[in-house]
Amino acid sequence: HAMDSKVGEVLLYYCYCEVKDPEKLCAWQKALCQHLQLTGKVRVASEGINGTVGGSKVATNLYMEVMLSQPLFKDVLCQEDFKSSTGGAHCFPDLRVGVFKEIVPMGIDPKIVSYKESGIHLSPQEFHREVEQYLSQANEGQSDTILLDCRNFYESKIGHFQGCLAPDIRKFSYFPSYVDENLELFKDKRVLMYCTGGIRCERGSAYLRSKAVCREIYQLKGGIHKYLEEFPDGFYRGKLFVFDDRYAICSNEDTISACRYCGTLWDQYKLCSSQHCRQLVLTCPSCCSKGLTACCPVCQDKELKVTSGASGQTRKEECECTWRRPRVPIEHVSQRRMDAGK
């Protein structure tokens, strides 16, 4: 049966548009996904829809067709807006469709900072040329440009554009405070901004624009996803982090990150082995086999206590990693430029 074929795909897309009745759209969307046996996550809001779903090739193709013919998205969503990768329904634990205030959680009311105020969209080709120019100028130490990764630290850690500035933030809702605390950095600069599929840049760029300090703000249309389709061996090095059970997808064999314990090159994430901790950890097979499976010493100890039967009060994400990660780290430019320059 075609629907059950193991080799399917995962689609990633978003569409900003006016949704008069989010509840109704949500119910329709849920029924559609269930009918096509798709798993994944879909966020609906009055500002649009954002989803990533997995299933058989037949199912994902039907899904795209239906989405493109839905009157609500007819003039705003196009085939190009869907980013696909090899996967399937098995990439997600279940199906979650819900109504939210924002289709990407930046934590700022869409009425205050709207996607309509976003930066200038560049195609992968245009972005590639810009990065090329930026890198050659940066080498001569005379760039007026900042290449900004607006994803989380654990995403940029395993893959990023050469010479980028990657904020040490744990979630996108910290991005606005990051900008606020580092305004000096952006003063009179041209900013080239990118994220996974383009959605975080829509409002991230709008937020930065609202501060009126930058000279120009550009963003990569379709995100790293679309860029890698055109330039698998371009200026993006390492893997692309994805929010499903695969954790990462790759366009080349590059590994740029290291095992947390021994420092050997390693970029495959695992969940911290300590109960209730949702942090991801890079620990290589040899360290894993030595039992080094937690994200930090605090969690490693906690786990030992739990397994030895001591009743340790465990709470979500209560460990060294969380304490060490202030809500807003202040950037020191020279120190934070991520260079994976070979």
Side-chain angles (χ1 to χ4, degrees), residues 22-187:
E23 297 293 342
K24 190 177 165 189
L25 179 62
C26 179
W28 170 79
Q29 182 64 211
K30 197 170 192 165
L32 173 63
C33 291
Q34 284 168 341
H35 178 70
L36 295 173
Q37 294 169 18
L38 295 173
T39 58
K41 293 172 273 199
V42 182
R43 291 176 70 98
V44 177
S46 53
E47 62 169 359
I49 187 168
N50 170 21
T52 176
V53 295
S56 71
K57 238 18 197 167
V58 173
T60 53
N61 280 333
L62 276 167
Y63 182 80
M64 276 192 284
E65 254 173 67
V66 174
M67 290 298 284
L68 292 169
S69 63
Q70 153 70 263
L72 213 52
F73 312 132
K74 214 164 174 51
D75 304 321
V76 265
L77 194 62
C78 64
Q79 189 85 41
E80 264 295 276
D81 294 320
F82 288 88
K83 298 109 207 174
S84 67
S85 52
T86 307
H90 60 279
C91 296
F92 300 92
D94 52 20
L95 172 68
R96 288 180 198 181
V97 186
V99 175
F100 297 84
K101 192 165 186 166
E102 306 168 276
I103 58 172
V104 68
M106 187 165 81
I108 295 204
D109 194 317
K111 289 189 200 68
I112 296 170
V113 173
S114 163
Y115 67 91
K116 293 176 180 142
E117 303 297 319
S118 68
I120 298 159
H121 295 68
L122 299 182
S123 69
Q125 290 85 353
E126 293 168 323
F127 197 82
H128 185 76
R129 279 201 298 274
E130 281 287 349
V131 174
E132 190 165 32
Q133 202 180 346
Y134 158 71
L135 287 172
S136 68
Q137 286 173 341
N139 282 342
E140 292 150 34
Q142 48 167 11
S143 184
D144 59 348
T145 302
I146 285 181
L147 179 54
L148 181 65
D149 190 321
C150 55
R151 300 172 302 157
N152 306 326
F153 77 91
Y154 56 84
E155 297 174 81
S156 54
K157 188 192 260 180
I158 62 166
H160 53 250
F161 274 95
Q162 284 167 247
C164 76
L165 173 66
D168 197 14
I169 56 175
R170 203 159 48 92
K171 41 186 171 182
F172 188 54
S173 55
Y174 294 173
F175 182 76
S177 339
Y178 168 82
V179 167
D180 294 352
E181 312 253 331
N182 292 284
L183 279 179
E184 266 312 296
L185 211 65
F186 298 107
K187 207 166 163 42

Side-chain angles (χ1 to χ4, degrees), residues 124 160-161 196 220 222-241 249-252:
H160 53 250
F161 274 95
T196 310
L220 172 57
I224 302 161
H225 240 294
K226 288 287 183 192
Y227 178 85
L228 289 177
E229 282 177 22
E230 314 260 344
F231 302 99
D233 288 300
F235 299 116
Y236 185 88
R237 307 315 308 168
K239 308 286 185 289
L240 171 59
F241 186 94
I249 50 184
C250 64
S251 71
N252 54 51

Side-chain angles (χ1 to χ4, degrees), residues 236-302:
Y236 185 88
R237 307 315 308 168
K239 308 286 185 289
L240 171 59
F241 186 94
V242 287
F243 290 90
D244 60 57
D245 294 347
R246 296 171 299 174
Y247 290 136
I249 50 184
C250 64
S251 71
N252 54 51
E253 290 311 300
D254 248 14
T255 299
I256 63 163
S257 51
C259 167
R260 187 219 187 285
Y261 291 99
C262 70
T264 181
L265 283 177
W266 188 250
D267 60 10
Q268 290 169 45
Y269 277 119
K270 274 188 165 49
L271 268 179
C272 170
S273 54
S274 170
Q275 217 186 346
H276 304 299
C277 179
R278 306 299 297 161
Q279 304 276 0
L280 291 168
V281 59
L282 290 172
T283 170
C284 73
S286 116
C287 289
C288 268
S289 65
K290 293 175 189 153
L292 299 168
T293 51
C295 67
C296 68
V298 175
C299 272
Q300 197 74 47
D301 290 348
K302 200 196 298 184

